Amino acid sequence: MLAGAQTPTATQPDEPAFIGRAPFTDRLNPPAYEPMSPLPREQFDLGKAVFNTTWAAAGRSGAAASDGLGPLFVTNSCESCHNNGERGRAEPAPDKLSNSFVMQLGGPATVYNHVINNQAIDGHRPEGRIEISWRERAGRHADGSAWTLREPVYAVAQLQYGPLPPGTVLRPRIAPAVFGNGLLESVSQKTLQAVRDAQPAAVRGDLLARLGWQAEVANIADQSAHAFAREMGVTSLWEAQDDCTAEQSECRAAPNGGELEVSGEHFAAVVAYQTRLAVPARPARDAALDQKGAELFVATGCAACHQPHLPVSRLSGPARIDAYTDLLRHDMGEELADRTIEGQPVSSLWRTAPLWGLAHVLQDRQVALLHDGRARTVEEAILWHGGQAQSSRRAFNALKRSQREQLLAWIATL
Ligand code: HEC
Ligand code: HEC
């Protein structure tokens, strides 16, 4: 057993209660994780409506509160990427890009700014088209059973404002779940520092922000403002400029949907909604599998990064969350790295992805795991683990088939 991984035990009477989960009886109408009095309830419901709003181009009559889309954008609602508060959707067909996908840009500043806006309102040109092709990789577990992975290769074509400069970094990202983020945001610096200190040196992570695939997102409000502006072209008090640059003159000259396209009230509500959104409750499960799976999760080193519980403090006293993350950033190896347009690997530092809610996510016919959605199953996601997680992945490869199946079956109950 690796040091730094807590042995999961049944809740003792003196241990703080787990919070954050609630049954998602209606998938299209996800609940808050705790009861609310009428005013916060109203704000939660308003926030959910804003999150689900389909935005229209500026000047559409009858859409004053929800106009201002674009001119350049990726999709027209938060929901279309964040899938009713869940993770982004998988691609509809094997060769198609998921509509929960964003190609962020890094490296030198470009005329395209933060993201490739692959859609535009009438009369404007989308910035370009994202192309994805797949290379197959095959290998075997220690017991001889075979696996295959698909490795994505990305390119941006039909660029309307000139080529990308050398060294531009393509940062492919699928939308993560927004549920539970209010609680992740509330984990203290001291807690994360202690988790880090207890990790064996070989897997020790780095403490940055709490949210985002690379822990670069400070909080829900910040990312909401970025998302409105960059992914939807909708301006707010917190981000008054959308993703078009000075060189994109038609985009800059297009009419607005009002000075602030999303009002202060609606912005506050959408943040409040995400802050209180519950994580789907775990399904009923077999006690023997529960015990065995949790043990294998520790024994293969998963729990050192995917921490089974973290303390949080509430007004009502101490509590715990079972998010299965340390919120720290780890080097996951070159195979998961972002690359420049020339194909040079850049950053392979990723925040341990929270595994809570996976049971619910896995009910979808197709899933898209890891930061760019390349993994079609939990097993594929594990097989991509390299860098600091390499020894853990090897321990997984070395399991007997029956143990591997137990571990995967247990993860599918998280
Ligand atoms: C076109 C797809 C897309 C749209 C539309 C979109 N998002 Fe996102 N969202 C993403 C992606 C991709 C990320 C991951 C960004 C990263 O980690 O760099 C993300 C991350 C987030 C995060 C941080 C989440 C986390 O779990 O770490 C929040 C909060 C968020 N989005 C809120 C919103 C809100 C609110 C809206 C609507 C105003 C919205 N998003 C619209 C794709 C989208
Ligand atoms: C060194 C830390 C570390 C260890 C050890 C580790 N993981 Fe991870 N895990 C991560 C990081 C970081 C990511 C996100 C990588 C990415 O998105 O590219 C991740 C992603 C995942 C995902 C995908 C989740 C999602 O939402 O897309 C699954 C499933 C997963 N890990 C399971 C496991 C299992 C099972 C083990 C043990 C066999 C394990 N991990 C060991 C750090 C770790």
Side-chain angles (χ1 to χ4, degrees), residues 77-382:
S77 70
C78 308
E79 193 285 322
S80 62
C81 280
H82 289 287
N83 197 1
N84 298 302
E86 299 171 27
R87 276 183 77 86
R89 298 173 177 89
E91 68 277 17
D95 55 336
K96 289 257 171 60
L97 204 65
S98 151
N99 61 357
S100 303
F101 185 94
V102 178
M103 184 61 85
Q104 301 176 355
L105 298 177
T110 77
V111 60
Y112 299 96
N113 223 355
H114 300 97
V115 304
I116 293 287
N117 287 119
N118 52 351
Q119 296 204 66
I121 60 171
D122 288 349
H124 292 261
R125 293 169 291 155
E127 290 180 324
R129 225 170 68 84
I130 295 145
E131 293 186 339
I132 182 167
S133 56
W134 302 98
R135 276 197 286 234
E136 188 131 310
R137 265 165 194 261
R140 286 184 187 281
H141 293 292
D143 66 10
S145 37
W147 49 257
T148 54
L149 296 177
R150 49 168 203 174
E151 180 189 10
V153 181
Y154 297 101
V156 188
Q158 295 169 19
L159 285 162
Q160 294 297 310
Y161 302 87
L164 291 167
T168 301
V169 181
L170 298 183
R171 298 168 36 116
R173 301 286 185 269
I174 198 155
V178 296
F179 57 56
N181 278 342
L183 289 165
L184 297 180
E185 216 178 64
S186 78
V187 178
S188 76
Q189 194 85 1
K190 207 169 130 223
T191 292
L192 296 180
Q193 194 63 51
V195 168
R196 182 181 186 275
D197 291 345
Q199 280 171 333
V203 298
R204 188 165 299 146
D206 278 322
L207 185 50
L208 242 80
R210 304 279 187 283
L211 305 181
W213 286 109
Q214 294 196 299
E216 288 171 340
V217 173
N219 54 53
I220 295 170
D222 238 41
Q223 183 67 18
S224 299
H226 289 336
F228 271 121
R230 297 174 185 177
E231 266 95 67
M232 290 158 53
V234 173
T235 56
S236 63
L237 196 54
W238 297 267
E239 198 145 323
Q241 181 61 59
D242 58 23
D243 205 47
C244 55
T245 49
E247 298 95 313
Q248 294 173 316
S249 46
E250 314 146 36
C251 179
R252 282 283 171 94
N256 292 326
E259 187 66 35
L260 298 175
E261 293 170 332
V262 56
S263 70
E265 186 198 1
H266 285 184
F267 186 86
V270 88
V271 172
Y273 165 61
Q274 296 172 80
T275 304
R276 290 172 177 264
L277 192 57
V279 177
R282 293 183 67 180
R285 46 198 201 279
D286 175 75
L289 175 68
D290 214 29
Q291 169 84 24
K292 193 73 208 146
E295 277 168 22
L296 287 167
F297 194 71
V298 172
T300 47
C302 315
C305 297
H306 296 280
Q307 294 275 323
H309 26 90
L310 291 173
V312 288
S313 61
R314 312 289 296 159
L315 282 177
S316 52
R320 292 188 294 172
I321 56 172
D322 57 342
Y324 294 89
T325 176
D326 56 5
L327 296 175
L328 302 176
R329 212 153 86 142
H330 299 271
D331 179 1
M332 295 294 283
E334 197 176 296
E335 291 177 343
L336 284 176
D338 284 338
R339 290 177 182 271
T340 63
I341 50 174
E342 295 84 13
Q344 284 303 310
V346 187
S347 173
S348 50
L349 297 172
W350 305 101
R351 179 194 67 157
T352 304
L355 302 182
W356 61 358
L358 253 187
H360 184 79
V361 168
L362 292 171
Q363 287 171 4
D364 278 339
R365 205 157 39 84
Q366 287 174 303
V367 289
L369 300 176
L370 298 175
H371 64 273
D372 62 353
R374 67 177 67 189
R376 291 162 293 191
T377 61
V378 168
E379 181 167 20
E380 285 190 10
I382 299 168

Side-chain angles (χ1 to χ4, degrees), residues 24-103:
F24 274 38
T25 39
D26 175 3
R27 254 190 126 134
L28 302 183
N29 196 17
Y33 68 82
E34 56 189 3
M36 286 177 282
S37 48
L39 271 180
R41 173 92 244 165
E42 242 171 66
Q43 197 189 30
F44 180 85
D45 291 338
L46 174 63
K48 189 185 294 182
V50 174
F51 197 83
N52 291 338
T53 295
T54 301
W55 289 72
R60 286 285 176 82
S61 59
S66 59
D67 76 338
L69 178 69
L72 305 174
F73 64 100
V74 184
T75 52
N76 53 13
S77 70
C78 308
E79 193 285 322
S80 62
C81 280
H82 289 287
N83 197 1
N84 298 302
E86 299 171 27
R87 276 183 77 86
R89 298 173 177 89
E91 68 277 17
D95 55 336
K96 289 257 171 60
L97 204 65
S98 151
N99 61 357
S100 303
F101 185 94
V102 178
M103 184 61 85

